[in-house]
Amino acid sequence: MQRIASAADVKSHDFCLNELHNKRLAAELKERQRAARFNRPERDLERLRRQNKLFVRDRIEALLDPETPFLELSTLAANKAYDGEVPGAAQVVGIGIVSGREVIVHADDASVKGGAWYPLSVKKIVRALDIAIENRLPVVHLCDCAGGFLPLQAEFFADRYYAGRIFRNQSILSKMGVPQVAIAMGHCTAGGAYVPALSDYNIIVEGTGAIFLGGPPVVKAATGETVSVEELGGAHMHTSVSGTSDYFAHSEMHAIAIARDIVARFNRVTKASINRVAPEPPAYDASELYGILPRDPRVQFDMREIIARLVDGSRFHEYQPRYGESLVCGFARLYGYQIGLIANNGALLSDSALKGAHFIQLCDKNRTPLLFLQNITGFMVGREYERRGITKDGAKLIMAVSGASVPKFTVICNRSHGAGTFAMAGRAFDPRFMFSWPQSQISAMGAEQAAGVLTHVKARQLARAGGRLSEQDLAAIREPIVEEYRERSSAYYATSEIWDDGILDPVDTRNALAIVLSASLNTPIERPRYGVFRL
Amino acid sequence: MKHSFEVDGVDYQLSLSRCQQGYRLRLCNKVIAPVALSQQAEGCGVLTIAGESEPVRFAIDGEVIHVHIRGRTRILHYRDPLRTLACANNEADHLLTRAPMPGLVVTTSVSPGQSVSAGTALMKIESMKLETIIRSSRDGVIDRIHFNEGESFERGAVLVTLSDEGR
Amino acid sequence: MRKLPFQTILIANRGEIAVRIIKTLRGLGLRSAVVYHDADAGTPAVAMADTAIAISGRTPIAAYLDIPQIIAAAHKASADALHPGYGFLSENAEFARAVTKAGIAFIGPTPESIELMGDKIRARNFVQRNGFAVAPSIEEDDPATFTFRARTVGVPLLVKPSAGGGGKGMRIVRDLANLEDAIAQARSEAQRYFGDGRLYVERYVENPRHIEVQVLGDSFGNVVHLFERECSVQRRFQKVIEEAPSPALSPELRRRVCEAAAGIARAAKYQNAGTVEFIYGGGEFYFLEMNTRLQVEHSVTEMITGIDLVAQQIYVAAGRELGFSQSDIVSKGHAIEARLYAEAPERGYVPTTGKVLVLEYPDGDGIRIDSGVVQGQQITTAFDPMLAKIIVHSPTRNEAALKAHRAIGELVLLGCETNAHFLTRILRDEAFLSGHVHTGYLEENPHIASGEAASDLSAFLATAALLTRPVRESADAVPELHAALGSWRN
C-alpha cells in the first residue's frame, strides 16, 4: 500500500495559525472535560466521604485492569442542559478492560445530584446499553442512584426510548447471553432497583448498598410502616432473605474484587475475523492535525492529510482516485485492522455518490469495517444536478450506508449538514460509534445559509404587513438568529444532547477508533443484504 | 485493581502488563520494562529486568513465594484481593489476638467469660529463649482461648478471641 | 594402632552435632546410633545413623533430657559408649554417672569434673583458689539477703542462673531499680530450663570480648590447649560468629590466656575436651566459666589445628594417651564460623518456622558445612533455632571473611526465613573487618540487624509477580491491542 505524501507545509504561517487555534480548542475541550469529571461542590464530596463511599472515578479506576485504556463516552453529555448543573448527565460510561475482557462500564455519579436520573441521564444509559447490545459487550453497572428527578419525569418516563428502555435493554442483553454485573454501592431506588435485579450477577455493599422499590420515607407515607434502610433493602437482607442480591461485600473495594472475579469467568467470545496484520504507527505525527484543520471551518482541506495522520504507516490504497473526486474512498489499516475509508473532499455530486455506494458494497463483501470522515455541506443543488439525478444517486448512497452489514464508524471532522449528514452515516444510520471534533458543526443547513433563509422569511412576513426593512433592521433580525443557530449546531450542543458518543481531541482519534473497532468485532458480521437501489 | 504482595509486613502494590519483549512491571510510580523470567529447571530461573539478567532461585508454597537473588532471600506473600478485602473491613478481626511470633503457651492468665480491659495480660508465651506477655489490645470479654498451656503455635495464629458481650 | 574398645556409640543428641559425630564415627569404623524424638524423624542424623531409636516426652526437649529412656535406648542399640554432644544432658553429672553405671563409656569428663567445673559458683571459687583471675560476684547462698548483696556489686551487673548456659535466663541490669524484676525473671527461666532457680550476680564488663580456649586432657594427666577462639559477635548471649585465632590478642596475651586455660584444666585434673571461657577487656582477661563438653564452635579449632576433636574425645574415653604434646599443636591460618539460624534479625531475632523447600550449600576449598537440616524438613520452634554452621578456612582473617561472605551468599535455603543475609552484613561490616568487636557489638550497631532501611525489592517483586499465576494470567488476559495502548485515557 502506498504511503500518502503529505502536502502540508508545517513551517507555513497558515499551518502555525491553524495549529494555535486548534490547540486552543483542544485545551478548551480538555478543560471542559476535566471540569465535568471533577468539579463538584465540596459538600457533595464531603457527603461521599462521610458515607464511606469512593468517588465514581476512583471506583472505575479500581475496577479496570491496570495499564489498560479506558475510552470514556459522552463525557460532556448535558453540558448545555439543566444550567450546566448535571455534568456528564450524572453518569459515567465507557469501554474498558476488566479481567482482560472488553466491557461497558456504566456508573452513576453520586457526586452529582446524588446520582439522580435526569432525562439526559436516561438517554446516556439507554445509549450505553444499545452499544452493549450492538457490540455484545458485557456491562458492569456501578449503581448509586437516588432515583429519577421527578420534576422532569415527563421527559424521561413514558416514551419508547425513556427509562423503561434501560430495563428492556438489560433484559435483551441477558437474552442474548451478554452478561451484566451490577454492584449496589449506594441506594438503588425505584427504577434504579431494577438495574441490579436485571443483571445476571449482582453484588451489594454492606452498610452503603441498598435496593428497594420505595425507600423508608415512601414506605412510611404509603403504609405507615417504619423501617430502616438496612431492614428494608440492605446487604444482609438481600443476600440471605430475599435473594435479590447474589454476593455480599464488606466494602466497595471488596465488591469490585468480586465483580472482577465474576468477569474473569465470562466465556471469551471469538471475535469476527477480519483482515488483520501487525500494527504500525502512522508515518506522520497526529499532532500535525492541529495545523491541517483550517481555523475557518468554511475553508476546504484535503481529507487525505487527515487520513495520513490516522492510519497505519500513513498507507492508503485509494479506490477510483480519478472519479467522483469530492468523495475520497480507499482501504487502509488501523492498528492492523483493514478498514474502508469514506471521506469528503467537497459537496456530494452524482459521481461521488455512485462511487461511495459502490465502495460500501465492496467493503461489505470483503468484511471490511467502514470509517466515515465527515466534512460535508450537503449534496449539490440546482437544475442541472437534479436533471442528472442527484437525488436518485444520493438515495443509492443512503441505501448502501443503511444496508451495510459491516460495522460503521463516523467522525465529524469539520461540518455535517443536510442530506450529507445522512449519506455519511449520521447518527440515524446506526454507526456503531460516532465522534466529533471540537470545531465541528452539525445542522440541517450551514448557519450563514440558514440565517439567510430565516431572515428572508421574516422580512417577507413584515413586508406583507406593509413594513419595509432597512439594512440595519435586517441585521438586527439576522444576528440573534445566527447566534442561536450557531449555538445549536456546535459540537458541544450535539454532545450535550448525546447526538454523538463524545467529542475527541483529534490526536486521540486513532486510539479511540482502535478501541471501538476491536469492540465492534464481538458481534458476528452478517452477510451483505440490501434494499432496492434506484438505478 | 492492582496486585498486592506483602514483604516483611509491608504491602507492595504492583501491576503487570504485556509488552513487546515480555512484561512491563509498574511499582508505585516506577515502571520497569521489559521484565521476563525464563525457567531453567524446577526452582531455577534467569530473571531479565531492564536488560540485565541474573539467576534466581525460587520456591512456591501456596501463595507464598520464596525468592533468592544475589545472596538475599525474600518471602513474598501474594495477597489475594478477594480474601484480603473480605477480611480488611471485618470488624471481628479486631477481636482476635494473634501470635506475634511462633512459640508455645507457658501460662494462661485469663479464662473464658472473664472481662478484660485493654492492656490486661492474657497469656505468657515463650518463643525460644524469650518470654512474652500477650496483652489485650481492647476491652472485652474472653470468648475463647485457642491453645492450652504447653501447646505450640505458628506466627499469626489466633491465641485469644474476645467478644463485645456485656459492654 | 590398637583397636578401639567400642563398636557402637550412641549419640544422645540431635541436629548438626549428631551428624558431625556420625561423620567421625564412620571415619573410625564405628557404628553410630541416635535417639530421636518424633519431631526429628525427618532430620539427616536419623537418616545417616546405623541405628535410630525413637524416644518420647511431654515436649520434644523433654525427650532428649530423659535419662532412663536414653540409657534404655543405648542398651537397645548395644552401645558401648555414649556421646552427649552439646546442650541437653552434656553437662549433667548425674547423667554421666548413670551412663557409666549402666556399663557404657561416657565420652566426656568425669562426673566429678562436671560437678566441679559445671557449677558456675563452685568453678569460680575453685579457679580463684588456684590463683587465676575472676570477676567480682555474689552468689545466692542466702536468698533473703541476695538482692541486697547483689546491689553491692554495682551496675552494670549481670544476673545469671548458677546452672546451665547458652545465655538462658541471663539479664543485664544497668539501673538498680530494675534489679528485683530481673532477678525474678531470671529465676523463673532458670527454674524452667534447668530445674534449678539458683542465681548469681557478677559485675558486667562493658565492651568485653569473649575469648575461650579449647583444652584436651587424658586419663594420664596430660593436658594441652588447642589455642583460643573468639566468640564476641553475639546477640542476646547467643554466639553468631566465632573465629580462631582471636584478632584481639597479641602473641604474648595469647600465650598467657592459653596457658591459664591449660593450667585451670590441669588443676581440675580435667579429662576429655573442654572449653575455658574468659572475659577479655581493658587488656586484662579473667575466668568466666568452663564448659565441660564439646562446643558448637569447636569446628574453627579443628580447621586451624587439623585435629578432629570428636575423634580425640573418643580416644580419651577409650583410655588412650594423647597422641601429641603441646608443641606438636600448630595453629595455621584463620577460620571463621557463622551460625545459620532460623530467625529474623530484622524483626528482633524472632524465631521463624517453615518447611525447607530448597536447600543448597556452597562448596569449595576451605569451606565446611555442618548441617542439621535437609530439604523437606519442617523447621519448628521445638528446639534451638540453629540450622547449620558455615565454617571457612583461609590463610588470613580478611580472606576468611571474604570467603565466608561469598559462601553464605551462595547458600540457598528457601521455605524458612534465616539470618543468612544478616551474617553477610556482619562479614562486610567495617568494625568486624577491623577486628573491633565485643559482646555488645550487635546491640551498638542495630543497623546490622535491621538491615538496609530502603532496599530495592524490584527484582524480588518482579520474580514473584511473574511466578504468581493470577498476576501473570491477568496480564496475559488483556487483548494485545489494549496492552499496547496502556493506560490511555481520552
Side-chain angles (χ1 to χ4, degrees), chain B residues 18 23 57 129 131 154, chain C residues 192 238 353 360 476 478:
Chain B
R18 284 191 291 172
Y23 292 94
R57 301 299 312 272
K129 289 161 193 180
E131 283 182 3
E154 297 297 301
Chain C
R192 273 194 316 108
Q238 275 264 22
T353 55
E360 269 182 26
D476 292 342
V478 174

Side-chain angles (χ1 to χ4, degrees), chain B residues 138-157:
Chain B
R138 64 202 303 284
D139 297 352
V141 177
I142 303 294
D143 185 43
R144 203 171 144 213
I145 293 160
H146 296 259
F147 293 92
N148 294 322
E149 293 181 6
E151 284 186 336
S152 60
F153 47 79
E154 297 297 301
R155 179 181 176 205

Side-chain angles (χ1 to χ4, degrees), chain A residues 52 61-67 206 250-254 256-261, chain B residues 1-3 14-17 24 26 31 81-90:
Chain A
N52 202 19
E61 287 300 329
L63 173 70
L64 298 173
D65 286 2
E67 308 287 305
E206 182 186 23
H250 294 284
S251 63
E252 291 194 4
M253 288 303 278
H254 185 212
I256 288 168
I258 296 171
R260 288 179 51 79
D261 205 42
Chain B
M1 193 167 269
K2 293 193 168 179
H3 297 284
L14 62 83
S15 64
L16 190 72
S17 51
R24 180 172 47 208
R26 180 180 284 274
V31 177
L82 283 176
R83 186 153 8 101
T84 314
L85 292 165
C87 298
N89 274 35
N90 196 346

Side-chain angles (χ1 to χ4, degrees), chain C residues 174 204 207-208 231-242 339 341 343 345-346 348-349 419 421-432 436-451:
Chain C
R174 293 183 199 279
Y204 181 68
N207 295 347
C231 319
S232 297
V233 181
Q234 303 183 355
R235 59 100 183 140
R236 300 207 179 122
F237 306 106
Q238 275 264 22
K239 294 161 188 171
V240 176
I241 287 185
E242 299 104 333
R339 297 191 189 189
Y341 284 117
E343 65 182 23
E346 299 79 7
Y349 302 100
N419 67 340
H421 196 261
F422 162 74
L423 295 173
T424 63
R425 294 198 290 267
I426 297 171
L427 289 164
R428 62 162 187 252
D429 180 65
E430 277 302 306
F432 176 80
H436 291 115
V437 290
H438 53 84
T439 55
Y441 157 71
L442 288 176
E443 268 175 43
E444 274 181 18
N445 295 281
H447 66 275
I448 297 177
S450 60

